[in-house]
């Protein structure tokens, strides 16, 4: 039986740091529509927006974006993806790529890297991505520490590992690949002590012996959490004429 590779993009409007960020306009389209467009051009078999917000669903209908209406009450994107997987009747071995809706600079090469490494790494329960760049204790970003085989040992909002020099850190990118059975396992655990203290959902996996591996990407990826980040992403996309032509053609044809 064929294993499905499904991209799920959990979206909600109740963001605390930048209100209604997913509906903020970039060119002619809301931010989340750019993330969707980038995702469907990858090797994923299917991609869905997962949301309980009618304003997002209205845009999905207008742009003919595939979506799954979920409950509003989920506390995080992982829970929303689990409900969406059940509604899609995914099998336990089917692969899910959880893509944050506020990652409009994601490229198909990044998603394909996730899928290929998940297939090759038999020890991995979860595959994610990071970027090696300088960090000066920005608490809006999370940093990974890994061993020589790319296995994640810990993740924190503070700059780890410690260094007296301007050491590059592995800045986590909020995109994950796992089997549906692993997703169900993760959502079955209670929110962990370290997860609550760091306010980082991925730590739940580490505290429950779920093997997480991360791989480096070179292109600039910006998760939009602040107005500064939104303005930077908006500038990058709106000044890329080739990209604007592609997204216009996509949403005209769908």
């Amino acid at each position: 039986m064929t294993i499905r590779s499904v991209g799920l993009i959990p979206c909600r409007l109740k963001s605390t740091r930048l209100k209604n960020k997913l509906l903020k306009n970039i060119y002619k389209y809301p931010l989340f529509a750019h993330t969707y467009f980038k995702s469907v051009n990858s090797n994923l078999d299917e991609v869905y927006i997962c949301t309980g917000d009618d304003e997002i669903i209205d845009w999905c209908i207008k742009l003919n974006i595939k979506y799954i209406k979920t409950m509003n009450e989920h506390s995080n994107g992982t829970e929303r993806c689990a409900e969406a997987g059940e509604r899609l009747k995914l099998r336990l071995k089917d692969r899910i790529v959880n893509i944050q809706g506020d990652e409009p600079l994601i490229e198909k090469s990044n998603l394909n890297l996730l899928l290929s490494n998940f297939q090759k790494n038999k020890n991995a329960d979860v595959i994610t991505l990071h970027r090696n760049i300088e960090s000066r204790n920005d608490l809006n970003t999370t940093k990974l520490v890994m061993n020589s085989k790319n296995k994640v040992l810990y993740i924190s909002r503070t700059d780890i590992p410690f260094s007296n020099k301007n050491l590059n850190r592995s800045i986590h990118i909020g995109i994950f690949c796992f089997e549906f059975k692993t997703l169900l396992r993760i959502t079955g655990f209670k929110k962990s002590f370290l997860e609550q203290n760091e306010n980082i959902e991925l730590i739940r996996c580490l505290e429950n012996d779920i093997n997480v591996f991360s791989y480096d990407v070179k292109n600039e990826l910006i998760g939009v959490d602040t107005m500064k980040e939104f303005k930077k992403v908006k500038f990058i996309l709106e000044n890329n004429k080739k990209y604007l032509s592609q997204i216009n053609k996509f949403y005209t044809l769908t």
Side-chain angles (χ1 to χ4, degrees), residues 14 25 40 139 177 209:
K14 294 180 181 179
N25 183 272
V40 296
L139 298 182
C177 181
D209 294 325

Side-chain angles (χ1 to χ4, degrees), residues 15-246:
S15 51
T16 54
R17 284 174 284 185
L18 184 59
K19 187 177 180 180
N20 291 346
K21 64 180 178 181
L22 294 179
L23 293 181
K24 287 191 175 297
N25 183 272
I26 297 177
Y27 188 46
K28 299 186 294 185
Y29 309 106
L31 187 152
F32 80 87
H34 293 270
T35 306
Y36 178 84
F37 168 69
K38 293 290 192 73
S39 302
V40 296
N41 284 297
S42 70
N43 291 338
L44 288 163
D45 299 318
E46 310 158 47
V47 180
Y48 299 89
I49 297 293
C50 310
T51 186
D53 293 300
D54 290 335
E55 297 96 323
I56 292 176
I57 290 173
D58 288 343
W59 268 107
C60 288
I61 293 171
K62 181 178 180 180
L63 297 174
N64 202 21
I65 290 173
K66 291 182 178 180
Y67 71 91
I68 298 168
K69 185 167 185 177
T70 60
M71 298 185 300
N72 265 323
E73 294 74 22
H74 295 300
S75 60
N76 54 53
T78 305
E79 291 178 3
R80 198 174 300 280
C81 286
E83 182 191 351
E86 290 171 349
R87 290 182 180 273
L88 286 168
K89 299 185 180 343
L90 295 184
R91 297 185 299 272
L92 294 179
K93 297 289 288 183
D94 285 336
R95 294 168 188 158
I96 291 174
V97 176
N98 179 349
I99 307 158
Q100 304 305 303
D102 60 6
E103 289 278 356
L105 297 187
I106 191 73
E107 296 293 342
K108 63 181 181 181
S109 60
N110 305 138
L111 298 173
N112 293 343
L113 177 68
L114 273 180
L115 291 168
S116 63
N117 277 304
F118 189 83
Q119 187 167 356
K120 288 185 290 187
N121 189 340
K122 303 305 179 184
N123 295 315
D125 297 311
V126 179
I127 296 284
T128 190
L129 301 174
H130 65 270
R131 221 176 143 237
N132 291 317
I133 57 176
E134 185 178 325
S135 174
R136 295 185 180 273
N137 230 21
D138 178 6
L139 298 182
N140 288 316
T141 64
T142 54
K143 297 87 182 176
L144 302 174
V145 171
M146 293 156 293
N147 66 14
S148 60
K149 296 182 179 180
N150 292 94
K151 184 177 180 180
V152 177
L153 303 176
Y154 194 63
I155 179 169
S156 178
R157 293 190 181 277
T158 57
D159 281 350
I160 53 172
F162 171 79
S163 173
N164 288 319
K165 302 176 182 179
N166 292 329
L167 179 72
N168 279 2
R169 266 79 179 197
S170 299
I171 307 300
H172 183 231
I173 299 163
I175 303 164
F176 312 91
C177 181
F178 36 59
E179 292 179 340
F180 184 43
K181 67 179 180 181
T182 302
L183 174 57
L184 295 177
R185 185 180 168 201
I186 293 169
T187 56
F189 293 122
K190 293 181 179 179
K191 186 176 285 191
S192 63
F193 173 78
L194 291 173
E195 175 188 357
Q196 293 183 71
N197 279 269
E198 292 272 14
N199 193 24
I200 301 171
E201 191 180 340
L202 184 61
I203 292 180
R204 188 184 309 182
C205 294
L206 303 184
E207 288 198 78
N208 288 284
D209 294 325
I210 293 175
N211 294 324
V212 181
F213 287 76
S214 185
Y215 295 88
D216 178 35
V217 297
K218 305 302 181 186
N219 55 302
E220 184 174 25
L221 290 169
I222 301 172
V224 177
D225 288 313
T226 65
M227 181 56 72
K228 181 180 179 181
E229 290 166 339
F230 172 74
K231 288 180 178 178
K232 186 173 183 180
V233 166
K234 183 178 175 73
F235 179 83
I236 291 171
L237 292 179
E238 290 187 346
N239 284 276
N240 185 334
K241 292 183 178 179
K242 181 179 179 181
Y243 171 74
L244 297 182
S245 175
Q246 291 172 337

